């Protein structure tokens, strides 16, 4: 008997749905009806798939199949419009997904989408940069010392259906229908996507083919799982790549990201230099600024040296601090000075605005209020 997750229609490819309908003696065109119901219409109850005959719906249900949209267990609305959703999965585990109606502050202004955003006629202004931040695992195994998710450890990988399901549930809730209405995706929620590589890549293909979000509007962020960066470089359909740099040299990077002892900066930057970029594409380096640790002008100059020669941009993120973390947030002057040095070195550098800070939806803060007792 397959486990409950394997009985979710959400997560099956068109081919897998075709096998399913044909094995039940149904005509093959039912696969398209199911594919549309799951990914385009985002229906959450079998009875509501009106294109299918009643008997076939009943049979699917008897066989234990369900649509598989995660339930929105809780939601928190920020004063800046950000919404943090707590998604409940079939086994009761929860992950978080964040809706940012005006983007995450890191996806625009770099010239790589020049003109496109401004010309969008997709709807009210707020939709043009709308971004969904998606989780890839329950918890995380990478032990970054400035990250709240790291405090949880890793419970399990998400299935492809659970990754797509987060996006489907948010689009349904926000009543956004791609591709006519645009949305950006960032795989920057809980977890390390490159430690759940196959499911992550399967979710990308389902999002492109089923939900209708082009891969050019997606960005995946990795802590630096170097072998997977090489695998990712060979994918024909893939999101843009962001690498969490966070340290300007091996000593500091190993201190804040112990993972650097496994894949050090020279290996990471080698993979970055070899990464095949498409026309007008840039690699993104993310850099979390920790007061008095990695935010000095000399560190900015080291970062400039590392990134030199790569068609890249840098996104600076001032730490979202918390009592559980051993670091503090640098003041604005320090962040601006760091940016200025990189810009003067010819590297496009942006400061990512914190989104939804009042609801703990900002970078690295997911699950804080749910998992941890109140301060
Ligand atoms: N595991 C992936 C994606 C999730 S983290 C990765 O490491 O890239 C997404 C981004 O949030 C990373 O750039 C990470 O460095 C940053 N981040 C994590 N905790 C943070 C915090 N407390 N404050 C600011 N940024 C944080």
């Amino acid at each position: 008997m397959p486990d409950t997750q394997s009985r979710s229609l959400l997560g099956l490819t068109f081919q897998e749905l075709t096998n399913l309908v044909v094995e039940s003696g149904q005509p093959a065109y039912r696969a398209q009806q199911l594919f549309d119901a799951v990914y385009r219409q985002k229906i959450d109850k079998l009875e509501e798939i009106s294109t299918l005959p009643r008997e076939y719906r009943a049979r699917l249900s008897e066989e234990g199949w369900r649509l598989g949209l995660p339930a929105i267990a809780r939601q928190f609305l920020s004063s800046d419009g950000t919404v943090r959703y707590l998604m409940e999965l079939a086994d009761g585990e929860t992950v978080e997904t964040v809706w940012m109606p005006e983007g995450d502050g890191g996806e625009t202004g770099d010239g790589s989408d020049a003109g496109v955003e401004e010309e969008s006629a997709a709807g009210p202004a707020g939709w043009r940069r709308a971004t969904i931040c998606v989780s890839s695992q329950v918890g995380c195994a990478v032990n970054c010392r400035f990250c709240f998710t790291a405090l949880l450890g890793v419970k399990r990988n998400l299935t492809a259906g659970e990754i797509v399901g987060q996006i489907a549930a948010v689009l349904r809730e926000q009543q956004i229908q791609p591709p006519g209405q645009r949305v950006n995706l960032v795989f920057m929620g809980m977890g390390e996507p490159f430690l759940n590589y196959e499911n992550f890549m399967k979710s990308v293909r389902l999002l492109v083919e089923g939900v209708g979000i082009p891969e050019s509007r997606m960005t995946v962020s990795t802590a630096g799982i170097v072998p997977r960066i090489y695998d990712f470089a060979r994918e024909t359909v893939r999101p843009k790549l962001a690498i969490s740099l966070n340290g300007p040299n091996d000593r500091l990077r190993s201190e804040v990201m112990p993972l650097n002892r496994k894949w050090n900066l020279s290996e990471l930057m080698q993979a970055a230099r070899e990464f095949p970029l498409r026309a007008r594409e840039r690699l993104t380096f993310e850099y979390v600024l920790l007061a008095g640790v990695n935010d000095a002008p000399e560190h900015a100059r080291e970062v400039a040296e590392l990134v030199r020669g790569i068609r890249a941009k840098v996104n600076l993120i001032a730490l979202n601090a918390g009592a559980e973390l051993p670091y503090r947030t640098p003041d604005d002057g320090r962040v601006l000075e760091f940016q200025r040095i990189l810009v003067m070195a010819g590297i496009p550098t942006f400061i990512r605005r914190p989104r939804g800070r009042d609801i703990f939806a900002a970078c690295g803060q997911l699950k804080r209020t749910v998992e941890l007792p109140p301060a």
Side-chain angles (χ1 to χ4, degrees), residues 167-274:
I167 296 140
V170 172
L171 292 174
R172 193 181 139 107
E173 189 75 5
Q174 295 290 337
Q175 299 185 11
I176 301 286
Q177 185 69 37
Q181 293 173 313
R182 292 173 173 207
V183 68
N184 301 299
L185 299 183
V186 293
F187 294 87
M188 298 186 185
M190 298 166 60
E192 168 51 49
F194 281 9
L195 290 180
N196 184 19
Y197 187 79
E198 295 304 330
N199 291 338
F200 153 69
M201 279 309 302
K202 184 178 183 187
S203 79
V204 167
R205 293 186 288 269
L206 291 170
L207 287 161
V208 172
E209 291 159 22
V211 181
I213 303 173
E215 70 269 28
S216 58
R217 303 195 78 82
M218 305 178 190
T219 302
V220 62
S221 178
T222 181
I225 313 297
V226 170
R228 293 295 86 72
I229 296 177
Y230 286 103
D231 292 339
F232 188 64
R234 288 194 297 270
E235 301 284 354
T236 46
V237 174
R238 61 154 180 84
K240 292 184 277 192
L241 179 63
I243 294 175
S244 295
L245 190 59
N246 298 340
N249 55 53
D250 276 320
R251 184 184 65 76
L252 276 173
R253 191 165 190 270
S254 295
E255 183 183 318
V256 302
M257 298 179 78
L259 158 108
N260 188 66
R261 297 195 184 100
K262 184 150 186 179
W263 295 291
N264 67 21
L265 269 177
S266 79
E267 292 169 282
L268 179 63
M269 297 312 292
Q270 176 75 16
R273 273 189 298 274
E274 289 180 21

Side-chain angles (χ1 to χ4, degrees), residues 101-357:
E102 290 179 61
D104 73 345
E107 73 286 74
T108 55
D110 62 346
S112 63
D113 284 344
V116 176
E117 302 285 346
E118 273 31 79
E119 286 159 21
S120 168
W127 290 350
R128 290 179 194 160
R129 289 181 293 148
T131 298
I132 300 173
C133 180
V134 190
S135 294
S136 55
Q137 298 180 304
V138 182
C140 189
V142 184
N143 197 16
C144 302
R145 294 195 54 222
F146 48 81
C147 179
F148 292 96
T149 307
L151 301 170
L152 305 171
V154 68
K155 285 226 176 110
R156 66 168 174 89
N157 283 333
L158 295 183
T159 62
E162 289 169 336
I163 298 174
V164 178
Q166 295 169 63
I167 296 140
V170 172
L171 292 174
R172 193 181 139 107
E173 189 75 5
Q174 295 290 337
Q175 299 185 11
I176 301 286
Q177 185 69 37
Q181 293 173 313
R182 292 173 173 207
V183 68
N184 301 299
L185 299 183
V186 293
F187 294 87
M188 298 186 185
M190 298 166 60
E192 168 51 49
F194 281 9
L195 290 180
N196 184 19
Y197 187 79
E198 295 304 330
N199 291 338
F200 153 69
M201 279 309 302
K202 184 178 183 187
S203 79
V204 167
R205 293 186 288 269
L206 291 170
L207 287 161
V208 172
E209 291 159 22
V211 181
I213 303 173
E215 70 269 28
S216 58
R217 303 195 78 82
M218 305 178 190
T219 302
V220 62
S221 178
T222 181
I225 313 297
V226 170
R228 293 295 86 72
I229 296 177
Y230 286 103
D231 292 339
F232 188 64
R234 288 194 297 270
E235 301 284 354
T236 46
V237 174
R238 61 154 180 84
K240 292 184 277 192
L241 179 63
I243 294 175
S244 295
L245 190 59
N246 298 340
N249 55 53
D250 276 320
R251 184 184 65 76
L252 276 173
R253 191 165 190 270
S254 295
E255 183 183 318
V256 302
M257 298 179 78
L259 158 108
N260 188 66
R261 297 195 184 100
K262 184 150 186 179
W263 295 291
N264 67 21
L265 269 177
S266 79
E267 292 169 282
L268 179 63
M269 297 312 292
Q270 176 75 16
R273 273 189 298 274
E274 289 180 21
F275 192 75
L277 295 165
R278 296 172 285 221
R280 291 169 52 204
E281 185 182 0
R282 281 178 191 279
L283 206 58
T284 300
F285 289 99
E286 294 165 285
Y287 194 96
V288 179
L289 289 160
L290 311 168
V293 176
N294 67 354
D295 66 338
E298 68 185 87
H299 300 143
R301 286 187 282 272
E302 284 180 289
V303 169
E305 278 311 307
L306 285 174
V307 174
R308 192 183 302 284
I310 303 177
R311 204 193 323 144
K313 64 166 171 161
V314 173
N315 281 343
L316 300 175
I317 318 165
L319 174 75
N320 288 299
E324 308 87 345
L325 301 176
Y327 302 111
R328 287 178 304 108
T329 310
D331 57 41
D332 291 350
R334 196 85 163 162
V335 177
L336 286 167
E337 176 63 4
F338 205 96
Q339 179 190 35
R340 194 190 64 80
I341 292 167
L342 285 165
V343 169
M344 293 304 284
I347 296 159
T349 305
F350 304 90
I351 298 171
R352 240 166 90 179
R353 295 159 292 161
R355 289 278 166 200
R357 235 180 205 176

